[in-house]
Amino acid sequence: MAQVTVFTSPTCTYCKAAKKYLKDNEIPFDERDISVDKEARKELLAKGYTGVPIIRVDGEDIVGFDQQKLNELLGL
């Protein structure tokens, strides 16, 4: 099973869509809300990311909710 982390913020529509997609496909994931998790925010900024969602699948980052790339990495 892939290790999936979703970096989110509460007002992000694409974050909500990504989380729903993962739940609908029964893919377990960890959520890191950058509005309250300062370390998560620092981690993303250090990599040059300025928006969310960032979806990390087994160490590979997907910028935005790219369903095709998610399917590819998750084998769906």
Side-chain angles (χ1 to χ4, degrees):
M1 180 72 52
Q3 176 67 34
V4 180
T5 304
V6 183
F7 294 86
T8 66
S9 72
T11 58
C12 170
T13 304
Y14 291 107
C15 298
K16 292 174 185 163
K19 292 187 296 183
K20 180 181 183 325
Y21 178 77
L22 291 168
K23 288 175 187 171
D24 288 350
N25 283 282
E26 299 179 353
I27 305 294
F29 64 92
D30 295 318
E31 181 177 1
R32 297 190 65 192
D33 180 345
I34 65 164
S35 72
V36 294
D37 185 340
K38 291 181 184 190
E39 289 305 312
R41 183 183 305 160
K42 284 181 193 174
E43 182 180 339
L44 292 186
L45 288 173
K47 290 186 169 219
Y49 300 136
T50 56
V52 287
I54 300 296
I55 305 168
R56 183 169 295 151
V57 179
D58 290 335
E60 184 170 337
D61 292 344
I62 301 170
V63 178
F65 177 37
D66 182 340
Q67 189 172 328
Q68 183 176 342
K69 184 69 172 173
L70 258 178
N71 287 347
E72 179 185 315
L73 293 177
L74 295 170
L76 297 177

